[in-house]
Amino acid sequence: MDLNRKRNARTRPESNRLSHEIEDYLKAIYKIVESESPRPATTSAVAAALSVSPASVTSMLKKLHAMKLVRYERYYGVSILPAGRKIALEVIRHHRLLELYLQSALGYSWDRVDAEAERLEHVISEEMEDRIDALLGHPTVDPHGDPIPTKNGVVARPSHRGLTDLSPGETAVVCRVADQDGAKLRYLATLRLVPGARVTVVEKGPFGEPLVVRVGKSRHVLGAELASQVKVRPGASLRRKVRR
Amino acid sequence: MDLNRKRNARTRPESNRLSHEIEDYLKAIYKIVESESPRPATTSAVAAALSVSPASVTSMLKKLHAMKLVRYERYYGVSILPAGRKIALEVIRHHRLLELYLQSALGYSWDRVDAEAERLEHVISEEMEDRIDALLGHPTVDPHGDPIPTKNGVVARPSHRGLTDLSPGETAVVCRVADQDGAKLRYLATLRLVPGARVTVVEKGPFGEPLVVRVGKSRHVLGAELASQVKVRPGASLRRKVRR
DNA sequence: TCCATGAGTTTGATGCGCCTAAAATAATCT
DNA sequence: AGATTATTTTAGGCGCATCAAACTCATGGA
């Protein structure tokens, strides 16, 4: 019985893929650097994003640098190189397609979708990605309102602001809730603060906080922390746009 | 920024789950011991099943023994304990539900299904398992004809024999093709040897090999190796049963 | 202008999980 | 019993994580 042992498979989930960890690091770095509020990608920012010690980040960064996925210089931050960006976007594409799929095909509730996608994103094949994409009709945004990168790595720039940026009296439509935390998402959902909802800012406290908003007939008070996660497109409601 | 570092998450895909590797070992051991042709689960049998060195198996076996998932004694084989069996069946349930789902919901072809399920099975949550199960109408067999274990670990005993067990002249219905190898599956599919197909044994060589069979209007010659993987239910065709 | 200090980062030692090859040992066959 | 075969041990590797100690660097007085 001559065994054919090749399987480094644990490390490379599909054929030629990188480890889950590497994918997670790249995704995190990408999100820090290229989100709508770009911070410098410091070691500790990455560590916090991944709930990992800074020491771990440092060594992974060296490795990613050696792989030319990232540009890293001791004591300064990291930035993503095109190859790394490409991988990050693939993972994010998986994640968002999966979120949408889980919700629309499997009936997942909005707030459960993220955790499941988090695990699946590293594991699905390109075939599965394509089939899901086709089945959903090549969607461009996920259930949270985040844009889904295309296969060639193009991400639509989301044209929205945080709820905190509105002035009292302004009305806008929620197009996205940026938080990952299921509990926060559920809480916001109970307030009807979900994508598509129409919201009006009634009052704003001294330093933007607290924020009093009206959704439908009810009023709610939000802290700045939470409110900034609720992204809105000012003015017209989605419905309005359809009516023309 | 006090980081909350807990994430042994790599090792435990979902909340309280075991590592992928442990799941794979248990699945392999279960399949060896409790398949329709039960062999003793020797170290090398497990090694071969997982494409891993015997040395690795030995150490994993010790560990599984310590975890009381398996009964292992040096130089004798392994057997599964109830707790280990339960886990193996959960994984197998995932696998088979996924195979069926990928085929019927995502349009996967028969022979691609196994590889994708192999990766997903370790990663899906119980919620996903349940949703898929419900969506498929609580199925009892997968696309290969293998029974799907129930949530409480009951597996229907498949009442079928290998094609090699038939005598010349006998006709039977393929109910399962047991192989994992996509290429073999595809080859058998080109011969129309897929679940549901009606097959007649025309001739049998000296030691059961080669086997000449008729499928529809065509005749094919098969080696014993391949033929034994084609499982059949003798006599009636599926269709017959429906007509009553 | 220079340096002490503290926040943030990196190093070095270590651990854990899973793997391997080669050497040692036990079971089995003739 | 001796040869063959299967299994286990030993020693080591790779990936990714941690902690604690050592290091950078920007900064804010003296």
Side-chain angles (χ1 to χ4, degrees), chain A residues 101 127-128 131-132 135, chain B residues 100-108:
Chain A
Y101 184 78
E127 172 166 14
M128 187 152 174
R131 289 185 181 278
I132 288 177
L135 230 68
Chain B
L100 194 54
Y101 184 79
L102 291 172
Q103 185 173 283
S104 72
L106 286 173
Y108 267 71

Side-chain angles (χ1 to χ4, degrees), chain B residues 11 19 21-22 25 51-53 55-56 60 63 74-76:
Chain B
T11 320
S19 74
E21 286 76 14
I22 289 182
Y25 274 93
S51 300
V52 136
S53 75
S56 311
M60 180 58 99
K63 184 180 177 181
R74 282 163 84 261
Y75 291 104
Y76 293 85

Side-chain angles (χ1 to χ4, degrees), chain B residues 223-243:
Chain B
E225 167 77 27
L226 209 51
S228 68
Q229 297 296 79
V230 178
K231 306 299 181 182
V232 298
R233 185 177 15 250
S237 86
L238 292 173
R239 222 139 277 128
R240 189 100 147 280
K241 214 172 174 183
V242 172
R243 277 195 222 122

Side-chain angles (χ1 to χ4, degrees), chain B residues 35 95 120 122 145 159 201 203:
Chain B
S35 63
H95 185 93
L120 291 170
H122 303 293
S159 61
V201 172
E203 217 182 304

